[in-house]
Amino acid sequence: MRTMRVQRFGARVAAGPGDRAVIAVAFDPDEAWGAKAEHPVAGTVNDRRVRGRIVPGGGGWVFVLTPMWMRDAGVAAGDDVIVELAPEGPQRGDLADDVAVALEANPGAAAFYDTLAQFYRRAYLRWIDATTRRPELRAARIAEVVDLLAAGIKQRPRS
């Protein structure tokens, strides 16, 4: 199991699209946490809790701040801030070996898993882990989850 590390850096808040603001990320999240199209993260900006996504932008990676968060936190474009961010939710490096191997075998499912919010990731993993009393069911559930993820389905349909 790989431990996901918190990244801490200083930055200046810049005006972004619309009323949003952006913070240029001072590290390569693909290098730090594994390659993804975007990185769901949680952490702090000037010790105020924040959640969001690190996305490509401006020739590198940026973290986008919403106008409401900026208003509530008292942060404005041009401010210097201290940022601490870590990947949100269960990451592929944190998965049980059998689940990780199944996702590695299906790159499409793995890529879609990486885009899911932690709520959906945890729901899939709880459903798989509910097989502790019936281990013969675990492999079938893992296969079903991989198929659903490969099809781009966020949540397992209820019967």
Side-chain angles (χ1 to χ4, degrees), residues 3 32 38 54 57 60 74 89 92 102-103 118 132:
T3 303
E38 53 185 42
I54 295 176
R92 276 198 276 159
L103 284 175
Q118 67 176 334
T132 53

Side-chain angles (χ1 to χ4, degrees), residues 78-147:
D79 290 354
D80 290 321
V81 294
I82 301 296
V83 182
E84 290 187 2
L85 298 173
E88 185 176 55
Q91 302 297 306
R92 276 198 276 159
D94 301 327
L95 298 176
D97 290 341
D98 54 353
V99 177
V101 166
L103 284 175
E104 285 174 21
N106 189 324
F112 186 70
Y113 175 84
D114 289 340
T115 67
L116 290 178
Q118 67 176 334
F119 170 82
Y120 297 110
R121 292 180 193 187
R122 286 188 176 139
Y124 272 133
L125 297 175
R126 271 194 309 270
W127 186 64
I128 290 170
D129 289 341
T131 61
T132 53
R133 292 189 180 164
R134 297 178 55 200
E136 69 281 358
L137 200 56
R138 185 174 177 89
R141 286 193 177 182
I142 291 171
E144 183 177 343
V145 166
V146 169
D147 289 344

Side-chain angles (χ1 to χ4, degrees), residues 29-107:
D30 282 348
E31 197 173 286
W33 302 322
K36 297 181 185 178
E38 53 185 42
H39 296 266
V41 293
T44 61
V45 174
N46 280 357
D47 294 322
R48 296 290 306 247
R49 290 181 47 80
V50 66
R51 291 177 63 208
R53 294 182 180 271
I54 295 176
V55 298
W61 293 90
V62 296
F63 180 69
V64 180
L65 299 172
T66 64
M68 187 183 320
W69 185 90
M70 291 178 8
R71 180 198 68 217
D72 293 347
V75 173
D79 290 354
D80 290 321
V81 294
I82 301 296
V83 182
E84 290 187 2
L85 298 173
E88 185 176 55
Q91 302 297 306
R92 276 198 276 159
D94 301 327
L95 298 176
D97 290 341
D98 54 353
V99 177
V101 166
L103 284 175
E104 285 174 21
N106 189 324

